[in-house]
Amino acid sequence: MSLIKITFPDGTAKEFEKGITPLQISKAISNNLAKEAIVSEINGIRRELNTPINEDSQVKIFTFDNLEGKDTYWHSTSHLMAHAIKEIYPEAKFGVGPSIDSGFYYDIDINTQLTEEDLIKIEKKMQSIIDRNDSFVRNELSKVEALKFFNGDQYKVELIEAFDENNTIISTYGEGIFTDLCTGPHLPSTKYIKAFKLLSVSGSYWRGDEKKARMQRIYGISFPKQKMLDDYLEFLEEAKRRDHRKLGKDLDLFSIHEEAGAGLIYWHPKGARVRNEIEDFWKKEHFKNGYDLLYSPHIGKSQLWETSGHLVNFKENMYSPMQIDEQDYYVKPMNCPFHILMYKSKLRSYRDLPLRWAELGTVYRYEKSGVLHGLLRVRGFTQDDAHIFCSKEQIESEIIEVIRFSNFMWNKFGFGSLKYYVSTRPDKVSGDDELWEQATRSLEIALEKEGLKYEIDEGGGAFYGPKIDIKIKDALNREWQMSTIQFDFNLPKRFDMKYIGEDGKEHVPFMVHRALLGSIERFMGVLIEHYAGAFPDWLAPVQVAVVPVSQNYFEYAQKVVSLLLDENIRVEFDKRNEKIGYKIRDWETQKVPYMLIVGEKEETNGTVSVRKHKHGDQGEIKTNEFISVLKDSINKKNNNN
RNA sequence: GCUGACGUAGCUCAGUCGGUAGAGCACAUCCUUGGUAAGGAUGAGGUCACCGGUUCAAUUCCGGUCGUCAGCUCCA
């Protein structure tokens, strides 16, 4: 009986009998760990919990709390699902079935169109396989053996053929009648899967290529505890309740009109009110931060777009030209060429720099019909655009300012958690190495100086320069890519931009594109979902509803309304012939921050009875006092909900 | 754009195995003047997305177009 040394991630080591498995090791550490263990890593290779270890090794144990654990858990569930499908539809062929950020999917080639009812059937079959507690059995084959084994399954054969002849051990995993090509690792057996749900079925293509075979993709999720699944399903329900398309309708914020064109947004009075508050705030903050505001036209001659390169690089996103005086004019997909024309309208000195020029510029881009989605993906949208023209010496401090500004804006709207990504030079781009290097470095230095962590997106930059993308997290912890800060080495050259330096010579200015909110439409879509439609006081389209107990108090109610109006508070006077219970319900569902109930008592006392959205009756308060508290909240732009 | 599902009143949805349609909410009028999440009665509302085809007859069946939804691919 020989002993081997097992070293753990914290550096401690312990001796075990040769042939011990990670599961047994985790039992030796603690019963809880053994219960929660999902997969292990042996000398840097992820392997099953029941893999015998025969030599001194580094061992890590993963649970569902680790990404590695989730990955294995979901991946095994996708195999379980495929297994169930194979039992129900023996003719089914399978593409790929990986785990994804949340859950898993499997692509299936099957003749019948799967429906929601079929998913229930598959779920039942999955449960019966779990009850059988089939083991996931690993087998290793040579390429020749694998090709033989999967003979007749064109998808698996295609995958196997792509493998390197010599240095790949091809592995398969099987439970019961189902065997799949897979590198693994997997759960020891199907019993480990405690709670799962198949969520949706939709179309996909073999290898994501629409020219290749059409497959059906089933998405699902699984968890080691029923409660976790329940919570996840509740999260999906909550996301549905917050869907900006639904709230946009319910709260009368905006509409989209089939007869007038897809992807084009109509802002109703209430949505326009919110938008107006955001834009006012945005403009004031830009002035404070040393920006100037611009307005530019919506169309420009083809020559402009040729100079800018858009007709070469962006044409598929631009709408067909219109003819004016026998010249082609294009609707703008971006604002930058216009801003550059303004830059070039006179000779610039280094003393003018930096120029920070911002515009809420509405642009139009062709988007494929299938990608349109509410406010989040549209064909006409308003960018909160700005271009910074500066000298080489200024780039670092300018980038820092933009990062700070962006931070400030997101915090103001209640988004705390920001993530930064620096995208570096793509391979295919030729150009000035030094320029790229320097600009990329300045982005990194700016983030480092601000004490911000960032990730590198290697080769993810645009062809014209490196960039910082900022992702935000909303109230449901969902990530959205919104802000972007991009260097542009292309346009200044194309437009022959210059400034006269201290040395009396011409220099090419650095140009930075930046959007803080991204686009107003998308931003509002995210904001609606973030606030679940219950906007904070300063943004709410209706801030106060004055609700008299009966018609007898209309006169007093009117006085209250007038006082509010005098203070520029957005107020509705509810004169409807309904009981107050009805009115309260109505304003509550409209998510109006405050209702002021007024009747005999309030008239006598010169007060209002405040009812706060979601918090109910707050009791009686002097009208003036209410107004000053509300005004204070509005002025401070509190995120008070 | 591609795959699939879907498109009936302002909204949410029934329904018609082919004989031009219904509920609840919302809306209007009247009764009721009510103190913290839906008072009652009456009424008005639809070329059943659009365009063709089949048929004595199409909202229903077939084809196309537009749009929506879930994905694929792509992005602010």
Side-chain angles (χ1 to χ4, degrees), chain A residues 143-353:
Chain A
K143 187 166 172 179
V144 176
E145 289 168 326
L147 283 172
K148 199 172 153 199
F149 185 86
F150 287 103
N151 183 30
D153 186 333
Q154 73 262 32
Y155 303 114
K156 299 298 171 187
V157 167
E158 191 178 326
L159 291 174
I160 295 164
E161 275 173 347
F163 289 141
D164 190 328
E165 193 78 44
N166 302 317
N167 48 21
T168 312
I169 298 164
I170 295 173
S171 58
T172 65
Y173 282 81
E175 341 92 45
I177 64 154
F178 178 74
T179 301
D180 198 0
L181 176 72
C182 184
T183 56
H186 280 285
L187 295 166
S189 72
T190 56
K191 200 181 65 183
Y192 274 70
I193 298 165
K194 301 294 185 194
F196 66 90
K197 174 98 184 141
L198 303 186
L199 297 168
S200 65
V201 54
S202 63
S204 67
Y205 301 93
W206 173 237
R207 312 208 122 180
D209 183 345
E210 65 189 51
K211 289 181 193 75
K212 296 194 166 141
R214 190 189 86 75
M215 309 192 87
Q216 298 185 65
R217 175 170 295 180
I218 300 179
Y219 286 89
I221 187 107
S222 60
F223 295 97
K225 290 196 175 107
Q226 184 62 38
K227 171 81 166 65
M228 292 167 86
L229 176 63
D230 293 343
D231 287 349
Y232 182 75
L233 295 176
E234 172 53 29
F235 158 79
L236 292 182
E237 285 303 309
E238 179 62 20
K240 228 185 209 171
R241 281 193 286 273
R242 286 171 181 249
D243 191 315
H244 72 279
R245 294 166 297 183
K246 179 175 161 44
L247 288 172
K249 217 174 254 179
D250 291 351
L251 304 180
D252 199 11
L253 299 173
F254 68 91
S255 57
I256 299 171
H257 297 270
E258 176 184 340
E259 66 271 34
L264 302 170
I265 308 301
Y266 293 72
W267 291 105
H268 295 202
K270 284 181 181 156
R273 197 80 218 209
V274 180
R275 176 172 174 162
N276 185 55
E277 288 301 317
I278 293 168
E279 292 186 354
D280 270 359
F281 170 65
W282 186 92
K283 287 177 188 169
K284 280 184 190 132
E285 290 303 323
H286 275 73
F287 284 132
K288 266 197 220 167
N289 280 275
Y291 284 77
D292 287 303
L293 294 191
L294 309 178
Y295 293 96
S296 63
H298 285 70
I299 58 174
K301 280 191 202 173
S302 59
Q303 196 202 322
L304 180 70
W305 305 108
E306 269 156 28
T307 304
S308 70
H310 283 93
L311 284 178
V312 176
N313 296 312
F314 208 69
K315 189 157 193 193
E316 66 276 18
N317 287 295
M318 291 169 70
Y319 291 102
S320 309
M322 63 191 99
Q323 290 241 308
I324 300 171
D325 292 341
E326 291 166 37
Q327 295 266 352
D328 280 348
Y329 281 72
Y330 287 87
V331 175
K332 66 176 171 183
M334 292 188 193
N335 304 300
C336 18
F338 295 96
H339 291 192
I340 291 172
L341 290 183
M342 290 189 245
Y343 178 95
K344 289 186 50 153
S345 65
K346 65 179 215 182
L347 191 61
R348 303 287 172 182
S349 151
Y350 72 96
R351 294 174 194 276
D352 299 330
L353 303 184

